[in-house]
Amino acid sequence: MAAAAAAALAAADPPPAMPQAAGAGRPTARRDFYWLRSFLAGGIAGCCAKTTVAPLDRVKVLLQAHNRHYKHFGVFSALRAVPQKEGFLGLYKGNGAMMIRIFPYGAIQFMAFEHYKTLITTKLGISGHVHRLMAGSMAGMTAVICTYPLDMVRVRLAFQVKGEHTYTGIIHAFKTIYAQEGGFFGFYRGLMPTILGMAPYAGVSFFTFGTLKSVGLSHAPTLLGRPSSDNPNVLVLKTHVNLLCGGVAGAIAQTISYPFDVTRRRMQLGTVLPEFEKCLTMRDTMKYVYGHHGIRKGLYRGLSLNYIRCIPSQAVAFTTYELMKQVFHLN
């Protein structure tokens, strides 16, 4: 999930409206191609966020699954070792599949959140913090399920080390996994820990960002907010405040869901790992990781790197999405 992202999400109730002079009219809201514009806004936000932290994503995969070439390295030593062993572009291995995946992932996630938020409010009558939490979780799970095969391929490519390639590219990876690992279902290996991790991750991420934004604009609109460029009657957070709120939301969400992320990565790698047969289910995988590596060096291995990558990733995603909402007139 990301998850994210990213994933990365932006969420809030409709921002507070600025006072409007009596008699002042407003143009009719632009609804033409709303879903397409929302899709593009979310996709661009996701791509910008993942491109920013692509090298950190590669190193995280290597550390989480204890790649034999880097298992004795820490976060910063691994960041130095990868370019030395595989060249600078080694930091971006698997990024092609990531970009193919992240645009629909980010777009579906952002678009689904807006849809679920409206649905929960109108159909179930739930509003406030709870509906943001519910809509965020549902949006995250929807995006994960729709794009999971691409994430599977991306992780397999990112885990490869120069000179020991099992897959020659994205298409070859798809064909090989389909032929050797159970057909279509082979692409959904590790989906359960992904869903279980994405629900709290996306939900807490949406909830935290939305709450911080709502509270900030309610209590300090002049200090923290500014008029939206596409609708002066709507307040949005200033850019640096957006970055801060997005970073806080990402850090809290990642801490809660990280063990599921480690489990998912090991299950996704499947036959690539020598301990494959001991990690067939989520329970077996968690038991193996905990038994052999413990909590800090097992279930939470790479968490410090995840903070480093997650905070700028979430911050860029939130900020870009808020900007794209103005560019595409979504406010």
Side-chain angles (χ1 to χ4, degrees), residues 8 20 30 34 37 44 55 60 86 109 116 120 134 152-153 158 168 170 175 190 214 224 257 274 294 299 315 330:
Q20 188 173 353
R30 305 186 188 190
Y34 177 84
R37 288 184 284 119
I44 292 171
K60 190 187 82 162
E86 305 180 57
Q109 192 174 40
Y116 286 135
I120 290 170
M134 292 175 62
M152 165 78 80
V153 169
T168 57
I170 297 172
K175 289 180 178 179
S214 178
L224 304 179
S257 63
L299 294 174
L330 296 174

Side-chain angles (χ1 to χ4, degrees), residues 31-322:
R31 305 301 297 180
D32 295 339
F33 303 107
Y34 177 84
W35 287 106
L36 176 60
R37 288 184 284 119
S38 180
F39 188 92
L40 289 172
I44 292 171
C47 284
C48 289
K50 285 299 183 182
T51 300
T52 302
V53 297
L56 301 177
D57 270 326
R58 170 86 202 286
V59 170
K60 190 187 82 162
V61 170
L62 295 172
L63 293 181
Q64 281 184 323
H66 293 80
N67 183 288
R68 68 187 184 88
H69 293 280
Y70 301 101
K71 64 181 179 179
H72 298 301
F73 287 91
V75 171
F76 295 105
S77 55
L79 281 170
R80 291 192 299 268
V82 171
Q84 291 173 359
K85 182 176 178 60
E86 305 180 57
F88 177 75
L89 292 180
L91 290 170
Y92 288 86
K93 189 170 289 185
N95 196 50
M98 170 68 83
M99 288 299 99
I100 295 173
R101 167 186 173 265
I102 203 60
F103 192 94
Y105 179 90
I108 292 168
Q109 192 174 40
F110 281 110
M111 188 171 63
F113 172 75
E114 301 293 346
H115 177 72
Y116 286 135
K117 190 171 66 171
T118 302
L119 188 67
I120 290 170
T121 302
T122 56
K123 299 297 183 181
L124 302 180
I126 300 173
S127 60
H129 299 318
V130 176
H131 93 295
R132 278 201 298 270
L133 186 62
M134 292 175 62
S137 298
M138 293 166 66
M141 288 187 283
T142 300
V144 163
I145 292 171
C146 291
T147 62
Y148 195 79
L150 284 167
D151 189 44
M152 165 78 80
V153 169
R154 197 271 301 186
V155 171
R156 295 288 181 97
L157 294 175
F159 191 72
Q160 295 184 136
V161 175
K162 185 177 181 180
E164 300 179 2
H165 286 189
T166 304
Y167 312 106
T168 57
I170 297 172
I171 302 300
H172 182 248
F174 267 108
K175 289 180 178 179
T176 304
I177 294 171
Y178 183 84
Q180 298 180 3
E181 300 186 35
F184 177 76
F185 291 104
F187 292 110
Y188 281 89
R189 187 179 156 75
L191 180 63
M192 184 55 68
T194 304
I195 293 297
L196 292 178
M198 178 52 66
Y201 176 80
V204 171
S205 180
F206 267 122
F207 174 80
T208 305
F209 181 82
T211 301
L212 290 173
K213 179 179 177 182
S214 178
V215 171
L217 291 179
S218 297
H219 290 81
T222 305
L223 179 64
L224 304 179
R226 62 176 177 80
S228 171
S229 61
D230 70 320
N231 186 353
N233 297 309
V234 172
L235 275 178
V236 296
L237 291 175
K238 293 178 180 177
T239 302
H240 67 281
V241 181
N242 244 326
L243 288 166
L244 178 61
C245 291
V248 171
I252 294 174
Q254 278 292 334
T255 303
I256 293 173
S257 63
Y258 195 75
F260 291 106
D261 191 45
V262 172
T263 304
R264 167 178 60 137
R265 291 299 180 216
R266 282 186 165 268
M267 293 185 70
Q268 283 181 325
L269 288 168
T271 55
V272 175
L273 297 176
E275 65 272 17
F276 163 64
E277 294 184 351
K278 299 177 181 178
C279 300
L280 295 175
T281 66
M282 184 181 75
R283 181 178 177 277
D284 289 343
T285 304
M286 282 189 160
K287 185 177 179 181
Y288 176 86
V289 173
Y290 176 75
H292 284 74
H293 305 290
I295 295 177
R296 187 172 67 87
K297 294 185 177 181
L299 294 174
Y300 277 92
R301 179 170 169 79
L303 180 61
S304 58
L305 174 60
N306 221 44
Y307 286 141
I308 297 171
R309 63 169 283 282
C310 176
I311 292 176
S313 175
Q314 285 284 79
V316 170
F318 280 121
T319 303
T320 306
Y321 184 61
E322 291 293 319

